[in-house]
Amino acid sequence: MHDFEYRGNELFCEDVPVREIVQQVGSPCYIYSHRTLLRHFLAFEDAFKNIPHLVAFAMKANSNLAVLRVLAREGCGADIVSGGELFRALKAGVPPQKMVFAGVGKSAEEIQFALKSNILMFNVESPGELLHINEVAGSLGMRARVALRINPDIDPQTHPYISTGLKKSKFGIRADRALEEFDIAQQLPHIDVVGVHKHIGSQLTKINPFVDALKKILELIGVLQTKGFNIQYLNIGGGLGITYSDETPPHPKDLAAAISPLLATVNCHLIMEPGRSIVGNAGILVTKVLYNKEAETKRFVIVDAAMNDLLRPSLYDAHHDILPVLKDESAPVNAVDVVGPICESGDFLAKDRKMGQLKQGDLLAVMSAGAYGFTMSSNYNSRPRVPEVLIKGQAIMIIRQRESYEDLIRGESIPEVLA
Ligand SMILES: *Cc1c(COP(=O)(O)O)cnc(C)c1O
Protein backbone atom coordinates (compact mmCIF):
# COMPACT_ATOMS: atom_id res chain seq x y z
CA MET A 1 0.00 0.00 0.00
CA HIS A 2 2.78 2.43 0.84
CA ASP A 3 6.47 2.58 1.62
CA PHE A 4 6.48 4.11 5.10
CA GLU A 5 7.32 1.21 7.37
CA TYR A 6 9.05 0.43 10.62
CA ARG A 7 12.38 -1.31 10.57
CA GLY A 8 12.78 -2.29 14.18
CA ASN A 9 11.45 0.66 16.13
CA GLU A 10 12.25 3.21 13.53
CA LEU A 11 10.01 4.56 10.77
CA PHE A 12 11.53 4.54 7.29
CA CYS A 13 10.49 6.02 3.98
CA GLU A 14 11.74 3.47 1.45
CA ASP A 15 15.36 2.91 2.57
CA VAL A 16 15.84 6.11 4.55
CA PRO A 17 15.08 6.62 8.24
CA VAL A 18 12.57 9.47 8.57
CA ARG A 19 14.73 10.84 11.40
CA GLU A 20 17.61 11.30 8.97
CA ILE A 21 15.43 13.25 6.53
CA VAL A 22 14.38 15.60 9.31
CA GLN A 23 18.02 16.05 10.30
CA GLN A 24 18.59 17.37 6.78
CA VAL A 25 15.55 19.58 6.19
CA GLY A 26 14.19 20.26 9.67
CA SER A 27 10.66 19.93 11.02
CA PRO A 28 7.90 20.09 9.93
CA CYS A 29 8.26 18.65 6.42
CA TYR A 30 6.33 16.68 3.83
CA ILE A 31 7.94 13.44 2.66
CA TYR A 32 6.84 11.54 -0.47
CA SER A 33 7.80 8.05 -1.58
CA HIS A 34 8.71 7.77 -5.25
CA ARG A 35 8.01 4.04 -5.22
CA THR A 36 4.51 4.45 -3.77
CA LEU A 37 3.64 7.19 -6.23
CA LEU A 38 4.70 5.10 -9.16
CA ARG A 39 2.96 1.97 -7.92
CA HIS A 40 -0.32 3.81 -7.43
CA PHE A 41 -0.21 5.34 -10.89
CA LEU A 42 0.76 2.05 -12.52
CA ALA A 43 -2.12 0.32 -10.71
CA PHE A 44 -4.49 2.42 -12.84
CA GLU A 45 -2.49 1.81 -16.01
CA ASP A 46 -2.49 -1.90 -15.37
CA ALA A 47 -6.16 -2.14 -14.40
CA PHE A 48 -7.29 -0.35 -17.56
CA LYS A 49 -4.65 -1.69 -19.94
CA ASN A 50 -7.25 -3.34 -22.20
CA ILE A 51 -9.22 -0.13 -22.71
CA PRO A 52 -7.99 2.93 -24.60
CA HIS A 53 -7.60 5.42 -21.77
CA LEU A 54 -5.85 8.45 -20.31
CA VAL A 55 -5.09 8.90 -16.63
CA ALA A 56 -5.17 12.65 -16.00
CA PHE A 57 -3.83 13.13 -12.48
CA ALA A 58 -5.93 15.64 -10.52
CA MET A 59 -3.21 18.14 -9.73
CA LYS A 60 -5.09 19.89 -6.99
CA ALA A 61 -4.26 16.89 -4.80
CA ASN A 62 -0.52 17.53 -5.15
CA SER A 63 0.97 19.96 -7.62
CA ASN A 64 4.68 19.77 -6.80
CA LEU A 65 6.69 19.87 -10.05
CA ALA A 66 8.76 16.81 -9.19
CA VAL A 67 5.69 14.77 -8.25
CA LEU A 68 4.09 15.71 -11.56
CA ARG A 69 7.28 14.84 -13.41
CA VAL A 70 7.43 11.38 -11.83
CA LEU A 71 3.93 10.72 -13.16
CA ALA A 72 4.34 12.48 -16.52
CA ARG A 73 7.40 10.37 -17.31
CA GLU A 74 5.18 7.31 -17.10
CA GLY A 75 2.63 8.77 -19.49
CA CYS A 76 0.29 10.45 -17.03
CA GLY A 77 -1.70 13.53 -18.01
CA ALA A 78 -3.17 16.25 -15.80
CA ASP A 79 -6.59 17.37 -14.69
CA ILE A 80 -6.16 21.09 -14.10
CA VAL A 81 -8.51 23.56 -12.42
CA SER A 82 -6.72 26.90 -12.89
CA GLY A 83 -4.24 28.85 -14.97
CA GLY A 84 -1.72 28.30 -12.20
CA GLU A 85 -2.09 24.54 -12.45
CA LEU A 86 -1.74 24.76 -16.24
CA PHE A 87 1.49 26.73 -15.75
CA ARG A 88 2.80 24.13 -13.30
CA ALA A 89 1.83 21.18 -15.49
CA LEU A 90 3.62 22.72 -18.48
CA LYS A 91 6.72 23.39 -16.34
CA ALA A 92 6.66 19.78 -15.14
CA GLY A 93 6.58 18.52 -18.71
CA VAL A 94 3.03 17.21 -18.92
CA PRO A 95 2.06 17.24 -22.62
CA PRO A 96 -0.85 19.69 -23.17
CA GLN A 97 -2.53 17.02 -25.30
CA LYS A 98 -2.98 15.11 -22.03
CA MET A 99 -4.53 17.98 -20.07
CA VAL A 100 -8.18 18.50 -19.26
CA PHE A 101 -9.46 21.67 -17.62
CA ALA A 102 -12.29 21.53 -15.05
CA GLY A 103 -13.70 24.10 -12.63
CA VAL A 104 -16.84 26.23 -12.42
CA GLY A 105 -15.12 29.60 -12.68
CA LYS A 106 -12.67 29.67 -15.56
CA SER A 107 -11.69 33.26 -16.37
CA ALA A 108 -11.13 34.69 -19.86
CA GLU A 109 -7.38 34.78 -19.20
CA GLU A 110 -7.35 31.15 -18.12
CA ILE A 111 -9.38 30.08 -21.16
CA GLN A 112 -7.00 31.97 -23.47
CA PHE A 113 -3.95 30.43 -21.81
CA ALA A 114 -5.43 26.94 -22.19
CA LEU A 115 -6.42 27.48 -25.83
CA LYS A 116 -2.99 28.84 -26.73
CA SER A 117 -1.41 25.88 -24.94
CA ASN A 118 -3.58 23.55 -27.03
CA ILE A 119 -4.86 21.42 -24.15
CA LEU A 120 -6.94 18.34 -24.91
CA MET A 121 -10.26 19.80 -23.75
CA PHE A 122 -12.26 21.93 -21.36
CA ASN A 123 -14.71 20.24 -19.05
CA VAL A 124 -17.52 22.78 -19.22
CA GLU A 125 -19.53 23.27 -16.06
CA SER A 126 -22.34 25.66 -17.08
CA PRO A 127 -24.23 27.13 -20.07
CA GLY A 128 -22.66 30.52 -19.38
CA GLU A 129 -19.17 29.08 -19.44
CA LEU A 130 -19.87 27.33 -22.73
CA LEU A 131 -20.82 30.63 -24.37
CA HIS A 132 -17.81 32.32 -22.84
CA ILE A 133 -15.36 29.70 -24.13
CA ASN A 134 -16.94 30.01 -27.59
CA GLU A 135 -16.44 33.77 -27.48
CA VAL A 136 -12.83 33.61 -26.27
CA ALA A 137 -11.95 30.94 -28.83
CA GLY A 138 -13.55 33.09 -31.55
CA SER A 139 -11.55 36.15 -30.52
CA LEU A 140 -8.37 34.09 -30.94
CA GLY A 141 -9.55 32.62 -34.24
CA MET A 142 -9.49 29.17 -32.67
CA ARG A 143 -11.86 26.32 -31.89
CA ALA A 144 -12.18 24.87 -28.39
CA ARG A 145 -12.60 21.17 -27.75
CA VAL A 146 -15.06 20.63 -24.91
CA ALA A 147 -16.71 17.95 -22.86
CA LEU A 148 -19.81 18.90 -20.95
CA ARG A 149 -19.64 18.00 -17.29
CA ILE A 150 -22.95 16.44 -16.34
CA ASN A 151 -24.19 16.36 -12.79
CA PRO A 152 -25.77 12.90 -12.53
CA ASP A 153 -27.40 13.55 -9.13
CA ILE A 154 -25.81 10.55 -7.45
CA ASP A 155 -24.93 10.51 -3.75
CA PRO A 156 -21.26 9.49 -3.49
CA GLN A 157 -21.76 8.77 0.24
CA THR A 158 -18.79 10.80 1.30
CA HIS A 159 -18.14 14.00 3.26
CA PRO A 160 -20.52 16.79 2.13
CA TYR A 161 -17.58 19.14 1.45
CA ILE A 162 -16.12 16.72 -1.10
CA SER A 163 -19.41 15.61 -2.62
CA THR A 164 -19.88 17.18 -6.05
CA GLY A 165 -22.52 15.25 -8.00
CA LEU A 166 -25.76 16.05 -6.22
CA LYS A 167 -28.49 18.36 -7.54
CA LYS A 168 -27.63 20.97 -4.94
CA SER A 169 -23.95 20.99 -5.94
CA LYS A 170 -22.35 23.90 -7.83
CA PHE A 171 -20.63 21.51 -10.24
CA GLY A 172 -21.65 20.36 -13.68
CA ILE A 173 -24.70 20.86 -15.89
CA ARG A 174 -28.08 19.59 -14.70
CA ALA A 175 -28.81 16.18 -16.16
CA ASP A 176 -32.31 17.21 -17.25
CA ARG A 177 -30.85 20.03 -19.37
CA ALA A 178 -27.96 18.03 -20.78
CA LEU A 179 -29.41 17.31 -24.24
CA GLU A 180 -30.43 20.91 -24.69
CA GLU A 181 -26.90 22.06 -23.81
CA PHE A 182 -25.29 19.59 -26.19
CA ASP A 183 -27.56 20.91 -28.95
CA ILE A 184 -26.52 24.47 -28.18
CA ALA A 185 -22.84 23.52 -28.01
CA GLN A 186 -23.04 21.75 -31.35
CA GLN A 187 -24.22 24.95 -33.01
CA LEU A 188 -21.60 27.26 -31.58
CA PRO A 189 -19.08 28.24 -34.27
CA HIS A 190 -15.93 27.97 -32.16
CA ILE A 191 -16.77 24.84 -30.16
CA ASP A 192 -16.06 21.20 -30.94
CA VAL A 193 -18.05 18.90 -28.71
CA VAL A 194 -15.87 15.85 -28.09
CA GLY A 195 -16.89 14.35 -24.79
CA VAL A 196 -18.97 13.88 -21.68
CA HIS A 197 -17.56 14.34 -18.20
CA LYS A 198 -18.68 13.52 -14.68
CA HIS A 199 -17.05 13.59 -11.27
CA ILE A 200 -19.31 12.94 -8.30
CA GLY A 201 -17.02 13.45 -5.34
CA SER A 202 -13.93 12.42 -3.49
CA GLN A 203 -12.88 9.72 -1.03
CA LEU A 204 -15.48 7.27 -2.34
CA THR A 205 -15.14 3.95 -0.56
CA LYS A 206 -17.87 2.07 -2.40
CA ILE A 207 -18.12 1.09 -6.03
CA ASN A 208 -21.88 1.56 -6.45
CA PRO A 209 -21.94 5.34 -6.79
CA PHE A 210 -19.36 5.07 -9.61
CA VAL A 211 -21.48 2.49 -11.40
CA ASP A 212 -24.78 4.32 -10.88
CA ALA A 213 -23.35 7.60 -12.11
CA LEU A 214 -21.71 5.94 -15.08
CA LYS A 215 -24.97 4.25 -16.10
CA LYS A 216 -26.69 7.63 -16.20
CA ILE A 217 -23.90 9.09 -18.30
CA LEU A 218 -23.85 6.12 -20.68
CA GLU A 219 -27.57 6.50 -21.23
CA LEU A 220 -26.96 10.11 -22.21
CA ILE A 221 -24.09 9.18 -24.52
CA GLY A 222 -26.33 6.58 -26.18
CA VAL A 223 -28.94 9.24 -26.92
CA LEU A 224 -26.30 11.69 -28.14
CA GLN A 225 -24.77 9.12 -30.45
CA THR A 226 -28.11 8.26 -32.03
CA LYS A 227 -28.63 11.98 -32.55
CA GLY A 228 -25.39 12.08 -34.50
CA PHE A 229 -23.03 13.57 -31.95
CA ASN A 230 -19.46 12.37 -32.23
CA ILE A 231 -18.71 11.66 -28.57
CA GLN A 232 -15.11 10.49 -28.57
CA TYR A 233 -14.27 10.83 -24.89
CA LEU A 234 -15.93 9.61 -21.74
CA ASN A 235 -14.39 11.17 -18.64
CA ILE A 236 -15.42 9.45 -15.41
CA GLY A 237 -13.56 11.86 -13.09
CA GLY A 238 -11.68 10.81 -9.98
CA GLY A 239 -12.81 10.12 -6.47
CA LEU A 240 -11.48 6.69 -5.55
CA GLY A 241 -10.93 6.71 -1.80
CA ILE A 242 -7.89 5.67 0.22
CA THR A 243 -7.33 4.11 3.62
CA TYR A 244 -6.95 6.78 6.28
CA SER A 245 -7.86 4.51 9.18
CA ASP A 246 -10.01 1.44 8.53
CA GLU A 247 -11.68 2.21 5.19
CA THR A 248 -11.45 -0.50 2.55
CA PRO A 249 -11.85 1.40 -0.72
CA PRO A 250 -11.99 -0.37 -4.06
CA HIS A 251 -8.70 -0.98 -5.89
CA PRO A 252 -8.43 0.42 -9.44
CA LYS A 253 -8.77 -3.22 -10.55
CA ASP A 254 -12.17 -3.43 -8.84
CA LEU A 255 -13.22 -0.23 -10.53
CA ALA A 256 -12.07 -1.56 -13.92
CA ALA A 257 -13.89 -4.84 -13.37
CA ALA A 258 -17.11 -3.05 -12.42
CA ILE A 259 -17.17 -0.53 -15.24
CA SER A 260 -15.42 -2.21 -18.18
CA PRO A 261 -18.45 -4.28 -19.20
CA LEU A 262 -20.59 -1.12 -19.17
CA LEU A 263 -18.12 0.78 -21.33
CA ALA A 264 -18.41 -1.77 -24.11
CA THR A 265 -21.76 -0.19 -25.09
CA VAL A 266 -20.10 3.06 -26.20
CA ASN A 267 -17.03 3.42 -28.33
CA CYS A 268 -15.24 6.11 -26.34
CA HIS A 269 -11.71 6.88 -25.19
CA LEU A 270 -11.84 6.67 -21.39
CA ILE A 271 -10.41 9.48 -19.26
CA MET A 272 -9.92 9.16 -15.50
CA GLU A 273 -8.92 11.88 -13.05
CA PRO A 274 -7.61 10.20 -9.89
CA GLY A 275 -5.91 12.48 -7.39
CA ARG A 276 -6.07 11.22 -3.82
CA SER A 277 -5.76 7.54 -4.74
CA ILE A 278 -2.41 8.19 -6.44
CA VAL A 279 -0.71 10.53 -3.94
CA GLY A 280 -2.64 10.27 -0.67
CA ASN A 281 -0.76 7.40 0.88
CA ALA A 282 2.48 8.32 -0.90
CA GLY A 283 3.10 11.19 1.51
CA ILE A 284 3.45 11.99 5.20
CA LEU A 285 3.79 15.17 7.20
CA VAL A 286 6.47 14.95 9.87
CA THR A 287 6.16 17.14 12.92
CA LYS A 288 8.04 17.58 16.20
CA VAL A 289 6.63 17.63 19.70
CA LEU A 290 7.09 21.05 21.31
CA TYR A 291 5.24 20.68 24.60
CA ASN A 292 3.00 18.43 26.63
CA LYS A 293 0.25 20.38 28.31
CA GLU A 294 -2.48 19.31 30.69
CA ALA A 295 -5.71 21.25 30.87
CA GLU A 296 -8.20 20.36 33.57
CA THR A 297 -9.96 17.69 31.52
CA LYS A 298 -7.63 17.13 28.61
CA ARG A 299 -4.10 16.35 27.63
CA PHE A 300 -2.58 18.22 24.73
CA VAL A 301 0.47 17.42 22.69
CA ILE A 302 1.56 20.65 21.06
CA VAL A 303 3.50 20.07 17.84
CA ASP A 304 5.25 22.34 15.36
CA ALA A 305 2.90 21.58 12.43
CA ALA A 306 -0.52 23.22 12.30
CA MET A 307 -3.72 23.65 10.34
CA ASN A 308 -1.92 25.91 7.87
CA ASP A 309 0.34 22.94 6.99
CA LEU A 310 -2.39 20.28 6.92
CA LEU A 311 -5.92 21.65 6.83
CA ARG A 312 -7.90 18.44 6.43
CA PRO A 313 -8.53 17.70 10.14
CA SER A 314 -9.75 21.26 10.75
CA LEU A 315 -11.71 21.54 7.49
CA TYR A 316 -13.32 18.11 7.22
CA ASP A 317 -12.74 16.64 10.65
CA ALA A 318 -10.60 14.21 8.67
CA HIS A 319 -8.75 11.39 10.38
CA HIS A 320 -5.03 10.93 9.84
CA ASP A 321 -3.14 8.22 11.68
CA ILE A 322 -0.27 9.68 13.69
CA LEU A 323 2.71 7.40 14.29
CA PRO A 324 5.85 7.95 16.35
CA VAL A 325 8.98 8.08 14.19
CA LEU A 326 10.69 6.16 16.99
CA LYS A 327 8.43 3.59 18.59
CA ASP A 328 8.57 3.01 22.31
CA GLU A 329 6.19 0.19 23.15
CA SER A 330 6.81 0.54 26.89
CA ALA A 331 5.50 4.12 26.98
CA PRO A 332 2.20 4.55 28.89
CA VAL A 333 -0.75 5.31 26.58
CA ASN A 334 -2.97 8.37 26.98
CA ALA A 335 -5.76 9.94 24.98
CA VAL A 336 -4.47 13.27 23.72
CA ASP A 337 -5.35 16.10 21.37
CA VAL A 338 -2.51 16.75 18.95
CA VAL A 339 -2.62 20.49 18.28
CA GLY A 340 -0.54 23.08 16.49
CA PRO A 341 0.75 26.52 17.48
CA ILE A 342 -1.91 28.50 15.56
CA CYS A 343 -4.18 30.81 17.49
CA GLU A 344 -7.44 29.03 16.64
CA SER A 345 -9.29 26.36 18.60
CA GLY A 346 -9.88 24.62 15.27
CA ASP A 347 -6.15 24.06 14.92
CA PHE A 348 -5.69 20.35 15.54
CA LEU A 349 -4.27 17.31 13.78
CA ALA A 350 -6.05 14.74 15.96
CA LYS A 351 -8.51 14.66 18.84
CA ASP A 352 -8.78 12.16 21.69
CA ARG A 353 -6.14 10.02 20.06
CA LYS A 354 -4.57 7.18 22.07
CA MET A 355 -0.82 7.65 21.90
CA GLY A 356 2.22 6.52 23.79
CA GLN A 357 3.65 9.16 26.12
CA LEU A 358 5.66 11.68 24.12
CA LYS A 359 8.40 14.03 25.11
CA GLN A 360 9.78 17.27 23.77
CA GLY A 361 11.65 16.76 20.53
CA ASP A 362 9.95 13.47 19.60
CA LEU A 363 9.03 13.20 15.93
CA LEU A 364 5.58 12.17 14.71
CA ALA A 365 4.46 11.10 11.26
CA VAL A 366 1.03 12.27 10.17
CA MET A 367 0.14 9.55 7.69
CA SER A 368 -1.73 9.67 4.37
CA ALA A 369 -0.93 13.34 3.93
CA GLY A 370 0.25 13.27 0.31
CA ALA A 371 -3.07 14.46 -1.13
CA TYR A 372 -4.67 17.81 -0.30
CA GLY A 373 -1.86 18.33 2.21
CA PHE A 374 0.76 20.74 0.95
CA THR A 375 -1.56 22.04 -1.80
CA MET A 376 -4.00 23.32 0.79
CA SER A 377 -1.32 24.81 3.00
CA SER A 378 -1.13 28.54 3.64
CA ASN A 379 0.90 31.16 5.43
CA TYR A 380 -1.72 31.77 8.12
CA ASN A 381 -0.15 33.21 11.28
CA SER A 382 2.78 34.16 9.01
CA ARG A 383 4.12 30.66 9.12
CA PRO A 384 6.53 29.86 6.27
CA ARG A 385 5.35 26.85 4.28
CA VAL A 386 7.27 23.66 4.96
CA PRO A 387 9.65 21.84 2.62
CA GLU A 388 8.73 18.85 0.47
CA VAL A 389 11.11 15.93 0.09
CA LEU A 390 11.01 13.07 -2.40
CA ILE A 391 12.61 9.77 -1.39
CA LYS A 392 13.72 7.23 -3.95
CA GLY A 393 15.49 4.22 -2.49
CA GLN A 394 18.28 5.76 -0.44
CA ALA A 395 18.16 9.12 -2.17
CA ILE A 396 16.84 12.20 -0.35
CA MET A 397 15.73 14.89 -2.83
CA ILE A 398 14.46 18.27 -1.66
CA ILE A 399 11.74 19.17 -4.15
CA ARG A 400 10.60 22.34 -2.41
CA GLN A 401 12.61 24.39 0.04
CA ARG A 402 11.25 25.65 3.29
CA GLU A 403 9.99 29.21 2.84
CA SER A 404 11.95 32.00 4.50
CA TYR A 405 10.63 35.06 6.33
CA GLU A 406 11.58 37.06 3.22
CA ASP A 407 9.32 34.77 1.16
CA LEU A 408 6.46 35.74 3.47
CA ILE A 409 6.56 39.40 2.45
CA ARG A 410 7.46 38.95 -1.23
CA GLY A 411 5.38 41.40 -3.29
CA GLU A 412 4.27 43.49 -0.32
CA SER A 413 5.22 47.14 0.00
CA ILE A 414 4.59 50.08 2.27
CA PRO A 415 3.22 53.04 0.25
CA GLU A 416 5.14 56.36 0.21
CA VAL A 417 2.34 58.17 2.06
CA LEU A 418 2.95 55.96 5.07
CA ALA A 419 6.64 56.85 5.22
C1 LIG B 1 -10.91 16.96 -7.20
C2 LIG B 1 -11.25 16.42 -8.52
C3 LIG B 1 -10.72 15.19 -8.93
C4 LIG B 1 -9.86 14.33 -8.05
O1 LIG B 1 -10.54 13.78 -6.98
P1 LIG B 1 -9.82 12.68 -6.06
O2 LIG B 1 -10.84 12.36 -5.06
O3 LIG B 1 -8.63 13.31 -5.48
O4 LIG B 1 -9.50 11.52 -6.94
C5 LIG B 1 -11.00 14.77 -10.21
N1 LIG B 1 -11.79 15.50 -11.04
C6 LIG B 1 -12.31 16.68 -10.67
C7 LIG B 1 -13.14 17.43 -11.63
C8 LIG B 1 -12.07 17.17 -9.40
O5 LIG B 1 -12.61 18.34 -9.03
Side-chain angles (χ1 to χ4, degrees):
M1 199 178 79
H2 60 71
D3 294 86
F4 299 92
E5 280 171 349
Y6 285 103
R7 295 191 187 169
N9 285 331
E10 173 141 33
L11 188 68
F12 276 63
C13 175
E14 300 198 9
D15 299 324
V16 188
V18 167
R19 190 174 37 92
E20 209 174 291
I21 303 165
V22 176
Q23 271 163 12
Q24 258 193 42
V25 303
S27 170
C29 64
Y30 275 97
I31 300 173
Y32 308 124
S33 158
H34 183 275
R35 195 187 297 154
T36 311
L37 257 180
L38 215 52
R39 188 170 54 242
H40 287 177
F41 170 67
L42 294 176
F44 277 93
E45 285 296 313
D46 186 50
F48 289 91
K49 63 174 182 284
N50 295 323
I51 301 174
H53 70 274
L54 168 68
V55 178
F57 171 63
M59 275 182 68
K60 71 182 193 287
N62 189 318
S63 57
N64 183 286
L65 293 181
V67 169
L68 293 176
R69 175 63 65 89
V70 169
L71 299 173
R73 267 165 42 128
E74 301 297 318
C76 191
D79 165 34
I80 60 174
V81 294
S82 71
E85 286 194 350
L86 172 53
F87 174 77
R88 278 180 175 278
L90 290 169
K91 287 275 180 213
V94 180
Q97 298 74 26
K98 291 184 181 176
M99 294 185 199
V100 294
F101 192 169
V104 297
K106 303 175 189 80
S107 70
E109 293 74 18
E110 289 175 319
I111 294 166
Q112 276 171 10
F113 183 18
L115 283 168
K116 287 180 180 163
S117 305
N118 198 21
I119 65 163
L120 180 59
M121 75 182 78
F122 295 88
N123 291 323
V124 175
E125 307 238 10
S126 66
E129 184 196 330
L130 180 63
L131 298 179
H132 192 205
I133 291 177
N134 177 61
E135 196 181 298
V136 176
S139 72
L140 293 176
M142 300 178 78
R143 296 175 70 85
R145 282 177 298 275
V146 306
L148 299 193
R149 176 173 181 175
I150 303 304
N151 180 340
D153 192 30
I154 295 288
D155 186 354
Q157 300 168 37
T158 184
H159 192 285
Y161 283 16
I162 49 178
S163 168
T164 58
L166 281 167
K167 270 183 191 162
K168 62 184 179 191
S169 151
K170 73 173 176 180
F171 298 98
I173 292 168
R174 345 182 347 187
D176 61 344
R177 294 272 173 81
L179 282 176
E180 197 180 318
E181 274 314 308
F182 272 96
D183 276 331
I184 293 172
Q186 184 89 319
Q187 285 158 28
L188 291 171
H190 307 290
I191 294 287
D192 286 325
V193 182
V194 297
V196 182
H197 174 253
K198 65 105 177 137
H199 169 76
I200 57 172
S202 201
Q203 185 55 13
L204 275 65
T205 53
K206 301 198 185 87
I207 212 110
N208 286 353
F210 282 107
V211 172
D212 295 347
L214 181 60
K215 281 183 178 160
K216 281 205 172 181
I217 297 297
L218 289 173
E219 223 172 280
L220 173 65
I221 294 179
V223 176
L224 289 169
Q225 287 180 336
T226 54
K227 289 186 75 173
F229 283 86
N230 182 14
I231 302 298
Q232 306 160 54
Y233 295 94
L234 163 56
N235 186 332
I236 60 169
L240 211 55
I242 64 169
T243 303
Y244 284 103
S245 52
D246 52 6
E247 304 92 334
T248 51
H251 187 273
K253 270 204 172 84
D254 305 327
L255 183 62
I259 70 172
S260 297
L262 300 173
L263 296 174
T265 62
V266 294
N267 188 19
C268 286
H269 198 94
L270 182 70
I271 303 178
M272 287 161 279
E273 304 170 333
R276 189 188 312 272
S277 52
I278 289 181
V279 281
N281 282 323
I284 63 173
L285 171 65
V286 181
T287 183
K288 189 170 69 184
V289 174
L290 297 175
Y291 304 103
N292 280 294
K293 175 170 177 174
E294 285 188 30
E296 227 166 291
T297 58
K298 247 191 190 315
R299 290 173 194 260
F300 294 100
V301 174
I302 301 170
V303 298
D304 65 356
M307 65 189 284
N308 74 299
D309 302 308
L310 179 65
L311 186 59
R312 299 189 69 260
S314 302
L315 185 63
Y316 309 134
D317 216 7
H319 174 100
H320 286 266
D321 277 348
I322 300 183
L323 304 178
V325 167
L326 274 178
K327 248 194 311 199
D328 175 7
E329 248 128 43
S330 66
V333 172
N334 299 307
V336 299
D337 281 10
V338 180
V339 302
I342 282 187
C343 302
E344 298 271 353
S345 294
D347 177 27
F348 62 91
L349 297 175
K351 283 195 162 166
D352 289 318
R353 190 68 61 83
K354 291 218 168 66
M355 306 214 352
Q357 179 73 42
L358 294 159
K359 54 183 192 308
Q360 244 172 36
D362 283 352
L363 295 175
L364 296 172
V366 184
M367 305 303 288
S368 316
Y372 307 103
F374 187 89
T375 51
M376 279 195 183
S377 68
S378 77
N379 290 123
Y380 187 40
N381 276 208
S382 285
R383 290 166 51 86
R385 280 180 297 175
V386 307
E388 294 175 285
V389 184
L390 181 64
I391 302 300
K392 182 173 189 234
Q394 296 187 330
I396 302 177
M397 298 171 279
I398 299 172
I399 57 174
R400 194 182 211 275
Q401 291 183 353
R402 186 182 303 283
E403 287 181 343
S404 66
Y405 288 149
E406 284 300 323
D407 290 330
L408 289 178
I409 57 168
R410 180 146 303 133
E412 290 182 38
S413 55
I414 299 171
E416 267 327 295
V417 292
L418 301 179

